[in-house]
Amino acid sequence: MRRFLLLYATQKGQAKAIAEEICEKAFAHGFSADLHCISESDKYDLKTETAPLVVVVSTTGTGDPPDTARKFVKEIQDKALPIDFFAHLRYGLLGLGDSEYTYFCNGGKIIDKRLQELGAQHFYDTGHADDCVGLELVVEPWINGLWAALTKHFMSSREKERNEALKMASNASQRMEPVKPELLYIESQVELLRLDDPGRKDSEVQEQNAVNRDQSSAPTAESQSSLTHSIPPLSQASLSIPALPPEYLQVHLQESVGQEESQASVTSVDPIFQVPISKAVQLTTNDAIKTTLLVELDISKTDFSYQPGDAFNVICPNSDSEVQNLLERLQLTDRREYCVLLKIKADTKKKGAALPQHIPEGRSLQFILTWCLEIRAVPKKALLRALVDYTSDGIEKRRLQELCSRQGAADYSRFVRDAHASVLDLLLAFPSCQPPLSLLLEHLPKLQPRPYSCASSNLSHPGKLHFIFNIVEFLSNTTVEVLRKGVCTGWLAMVVAPILHPNTRVSPAEDGKAPAPEISICPRTTNFFHLPSDPSAPIIMVGPGTGIAPFIGFLQHREKLQEQHPEGHFGATWLFFGCRHKDRDYLFREELRHFHKRGILTHLKVSFSRDAPVGEEAAPVKYVQDNIQLHSEQVARVLLNESGYIYVCG
């Protein structure tokens, strides 16, 4: 069996799921994948690795490698490494990203570039998958082409060894041209035919084509496609559907003795702090399009520390109503308090199967669905494929097959991914689908904590931490139109409701009229979004909407520093802020005017995108970018001539 090393660097589980898919498919193509997280450096050694390397890398933040890759990236960026350190290495890399962000797929690009600087060479061209349009548009053809590229690599390696043995020629290696994914689909199919048992019949494809014939002529009153209904040509097409993901979890629900459970049971690599909310203020008027809240946390009795520009994570639960609806749909409402006990199925075909680390041992089903699993996550095609086998109705079964098929990619994007459908939406839309609990525990990703920027300075507010957020609201229209709120912002809004005051600095929690609610937070890995170490350096801050949050912390910090060092030299500060309406959602208006009046904020440039000019006055600048362009000469001078810094958030 031809072996290759398969590494993944994941933040939310996407890269890991894709790497596991590659690992599962490898055997059918005559390969053995040695699968590891890139952080598990004790299980592989690239310095001595002779097999080809395949890497799947996601991107997090504003273009950073995922947390699991930080140590690896730091090690390979050591400037003392020689330029031929990885000259023996041949690799292919798949980067995941979102083109809505400036540094698209930058996590993968950082690793890709550095491997080449250290002498490694491609045996297969790098793929960049875009979550904005659908990762599968690049991921699927990239994986399809991988097998022919690996085959070509191994054949080339054997030929090279044979020639060297015969000729005993120069040992200078000939550079191998990387193979392009788009040229390899036919080659990979030929390789599949060669590896398959010639007498084997693909019963699944035969069965599917029979379903196609039976149902393509069935009359229907619907003339438009939807989540549950397709139209020609898809409804009449023969489908190429993914292989069935092997099941690997065995679940036992054990009656509980009523143990108490808390957020502290949530798994986290970082320390978790449970802190009270000391204040909550609505920053926008009631007629604003978005509702923005400021929340103050009391961290005085913890070891939590921060500096302006830092961010932190809020550990949040899923919506109670959605959890209850899911339990009802799974017919497990009466066992919601039962403990979930997991073990690996003895007969599983999943290579390297392991218990999910984000599901704590011995917790109740209610707790796991509430605090551990992202039940709002858009279902991957692998989950749709798995649901097919638990669907009894022929029409529903066919539609699920279409949605996970190559031919149904456009429908999957439109009705599942772009519609933000959840597993609950799918189960409600396909009532004959009756999956076991184990299937959801296998496929649903970890419920991720949500990051927020610190909107305060510990010099200005000792023992306190401020952050702001918009209450996210959106229409979900998968089967029935429903108004949903963001998982975290909807929950936070509910938590602070008893102590919320509109546009005031007073809070009932301070008055002692209501107990202070508590939430759990944890620090994020230190970033570089901090004030310059030299206070004389000028800074430009661009923060539309809630993007102003870290800059409030910057200005509070700068004010205290100037009070402490009245003779010090402090550089100019520019702030470009924008919102819709001056009188509805101009966040921190009084604070900004205060900073501007005192000279802490040298230049305040504000835009209002929805306000019309009054009377005969000139049309106001609508957007932040318009204001920057209007002052482009000064901005250029600050950055190019005065060695200034520019910060963008939002």
Side-chain angles (χ1 to χ4, degrees):
M1 191 72 73
R2 296 167 292 181
R3 172 188 168 274
F4 66 94
L5 177 61
L6 176 56
L7 301 180
Y8 63 87
T10 191
Q11 186 72 22
K12 297 183 178 179
Q14 292 261 46
K16 180 182 180 183
I18 292 169
E20 289 177 339
E21 179 184 349
I22 293 172
C23 185
E24 297 294 342
K25 290 181 175 179
F27 182 79
H29 291 270
F31 298 100
S32 172
D34 192 4
L35 175 66
H36 301 293
C37 177
I38 205 166
S39 63
E40 299 174 320
S41 54
D42 58 324
K43 297 181 180 178
Y44 67 91
D45 187 358
L46 295 188
K47 296 191 294 292
T48 59
E49 185 59 68
T50 57
L53 168 68
V54 176
V55 192
V56 184
V57 187
S58 64
T59 299
T60 189
T62 55
D64 300 319
D67 293 344
T68 53
R70 287 183 182 273
K71 181 181 177 184
F72 175 84
V73 170
K74 184 178 180 181
E75 289 174 351
I76 65 173
Q77 287 182 334
D78 183 351
K79 294 182 179 179
L81 296 176
I83 59 173
D84 61 348
F85 188 71
F86 286 139
H88 60 285
L89 207 57
R90 300 294 179 267
Y91 75 99
L93 185 143
L94 176 62
L96 313 180
D98 188 328
S99 60
E100 290 189 354
Y101 292 86
T102 304
Y103 300 106
F104 172 59
C105 279
N106 202 49
K109 289 176 181 177
I110 289 172
I111 293 175
D112 197 9
K113 180 182 178 183
R114 187 54 179 157
L115 289 178
Q116 291 186 71
E117 289 174 349
L118 295 174
Q121 297 175 21
H122 288 130
F123 76 85
Y124 188 36
D125 268 4
T126 297
H128 294 134
D130 186 1
D131 201 26
C132 182
V133 297
L135 293 173
E136 67 278 357
L137 297 181
V138 169
V139 171
E140 290 178 4
W142 194 90
I143 294 176
N144 288 337
L146 174 63
W147 316 119
L150 282 167
T151 300
K152 186 171 182 178
H153 169 81
F154 280 109
M155 290 176 65
S156 176
S157 298
R158 284 198 298 270
E159 185 68 25
K160 182 180 171 185
E161 290 171 5
R162 194 157 44 242
N163 290 340
E164 286 181 348
L166 291 172
K167 298 178 181 179
M168 298 297 289
S170 168
N171 60 359
S173 62
Q174 180 180 357
R175 186 175 183 89
M176 190 191 310
E177 286 297 316
V179 189
K180 295 189 178 298
E182 61 267 23
L183 302 178
L184 287 172
Y185 178 68
I186 294 177
E187 290 183 53
S188 66
Q189 297 306 104
V190 171
E191 181 70 13
L192 259 178
L193 291 172
R194 184 162 55 247
L195 291 166
D196 277 349
D197 177 1
R200 176 180 169 270
K201 301 267 183 143
D202 195 333
S203 59
E204 188 168 35
V205 172
Q206 285 187 329
E207 177 188 350
Q208 178 54 49
N209 289 338
V211 171
N212 294 350
R213 288 191 295 271
D214 291 344
Q215 295 175 359
S216 62
S217 58
T220 175
E222 298 182 74
S223 59
Q224 292 186 333
S225 55
S226 66
L227 177 64
T228 56
H229 173 70
S230 64
I231 58 175
L234 179 58
S235 61
Q236 298 173 348
S238 293
L239 302 176
S240 174
I241 62 177
L244 180 66
E247 297 181 4
Y248 66 96
L249 284 182
Q250 184 174 321
V251 180
H252 175 65
L253 295 178
Q254 179 176 290
E255 196 165 356
S256 171
V257 292
Q259 62 178 355
E260 186 175 339
E261 295 176 312
S262 70
Q263 302 170 32
S265 303
V266 176
T267 57
S268 172
V269 295
D270 298 306
I272 295 177
F273 300 91
Q274 194 158 352
V275 294
I277 296 174
S278 51
K279 181 165 65 178
V281 177
Q282 182 173 320
L283 299 180
T284 50
T285 59
N286 290 333
D287 57 350
I289 294 175
K290 295 181 179 180
T291 300
T292 306
L293 304 184
L294 177 145
V295 171
E296 179 183 83
L297 304 177
D298 184 351
I299 58 172
S300 59
K301 297 179 181 178
T302 73
D303 295 328
F304 188 93
S305 62
Y306 71 97
Q307 58 178 305
D310 280 347
F312 66 98
N313 287 324
V314 173
I315 297 173
C316 60
N318 289 305
S319 157
D320 280 344
S321 62
E322 289 177 38
V323 170
Q324 298 315 314
N325 290 340
L326 184 56
L327 285 167
E328 288 176 13
R329 179 60 182 81
L330 295 171
Q331 299 177 4
L332 291 171
T333 303
D334 59 337
R335 290 189 279 177
R336 62 181 180 272
E337 300 298 335
Y338 282 34
C339 284
V340 176
L341 304 177
L342 301 178
K343 64 179 182 179
I344 301 299
K345 295 179 76 169
D347 58 349
T348 183
K349 295 180 181 178
K350 182 178 177 65
K351 185 178 179 182
L355 296 177
Q357 294 182 355
H358 56 278
I359 302 180
E361 185 177 357
R363 299 299 168 186
S364 71
L365 177 56
Q366 173 101 23
F367 180 87
I368 289 171
L369 292 179
T370 302
W371 291 98
C372 304
L373 299 177
E374 190 91 56
I375 65 174
R376 277 266 192 95
V378 174
K380 303 297 178 189
K381 288 187 176 181
L383 175 53
L384 269 67
R385 173 63 189 88
L387 292 176
V388 167
D389 285 24
Y390 292 97
T391 304
S392 57
D393 180 84
I395 295 176
E396 292 181 11
K397 190 184 192 87
R398 161 72 189 192
R399 184 53 174 155
L400 285 170
Q401 288 170 327
E402 289 172 351
L403 290 170
C404 70
S405 71
R406 185 179 295 116
Q407 293 76 11
D411 274 21
Y412 172 82
S413 295
R414 179 181 175 188
F415 300 115
V416 180
R417 187 177 60 82
D418 294 346
H420 302 288
S422 66
V423 67
L424 176 59
D425 292 325
L426 289 181
L427 294 178
L428 294 175
F430 299 94
S432 78
C433 183
Q434 301 292 335
L437 174 63
S438 59
L439 197 71
L440 270 59
L441 300 186
E442 289 172 359
H443 286 271
L444 288 176
K446 176 184 178 180
L447 178 56
Q448 295 288 336
R450 273 35 177 188
Y452 293 93
S453 295
C454 301
S456 55
S457 163
N458 50 5
L459 292 183
S460 182
H461 298 278
K464 306 292 185 182
L465 169 61
H466 293 181
F467 69 103
I468 65 174
F469 60 91
N470 290 327
I471 302 175
V472 176
E473 294 183 322
F474 61 96
L475 281 175
S476 175
N477 195 21
T478 49
T479 50
V480 179
E481 192 170 83
V482 178
L483 181 65
R484 284 181 174 160
K485 292 187 177 181
V487 172
C488 190
T489 63
W491 171 70
L492 283 171
M494 181 188 68
V495 169
V496 304
I499 66 168
L500 181 64
H501 266 209
N503 266 326
T504 176
R505 295 180 175 273
V506 182
S507 166
E510 294 172 339
D511 293 344
K513 295 177 183 177
E518 293 187 343
I519 64 171
S520 293
I521 63 172
C522 59
R524 280 177 64 83
T525 307
T526 303
N527 61 46
F528 303 100
F529 201 87
H530 295 146
L531 284 166
S533 55
D534 178 7
S536 66
I539 62 172
I540 296 173
M541 301 168 283
V542 183
T546 55
I548 196 175
F551 304 132
I552 294 298
F554 278 13
L555 293 169
Q556 289 177 359
H557 205 73
R558 178 63 67 90
E559 181 177 39
K560 288 299 179 183
L561 288 178
Q562 290 187 208
E563 289 175 0
Q564 294 170 3
H565 306 281
E567 304 301 322
H569 176 48
F570 293 89
T573 53
W574 290 69
L575 174 64
F576 291 92
F577 172 74
C579 60
R580 288 180 173 82
H581 299 282
K582 180 179 180 179
D583 296 325
R584 300 183 196 176
D585 53 2
Y586 186 170
L587 307 181
F588 299 102
R589 175 163 55 180
E590 297 307 317
E591 286 89 340
L592 293 176
R593 287 176 175 173
H594 164 78
F595 291 135
H596 192 228
K597 185 177 180 180
R598 289 203 60 197
I600 309 300
L601 179 56
T602 320
H603 305 277
L604 174 61
K605 307 299 177 185
V606 185
S607 338
F608 307 106
S609 61
R610 301 295 190 272
D611 282 347
V614 179
E616 297 181 358
E617 70 177 29
V621 175
K622 291 187 69 173
Y623 298 107
V624 163
Q625 59 266 34
D626 298 329
N627 236 334
I628 294 174
Q629 188 171 18
L630 188 64
H631 299 87
S632 56
E633 289 187 12
Q634 298 98 310
V635 169
R637 185 182 68 247
V638 168
L639 298 178
L640 301 178
N641 299 337
E642 300 174 11
S643 302
Y645 292 74
I646 186 166
Y647 301 84
V648 182
C649 182

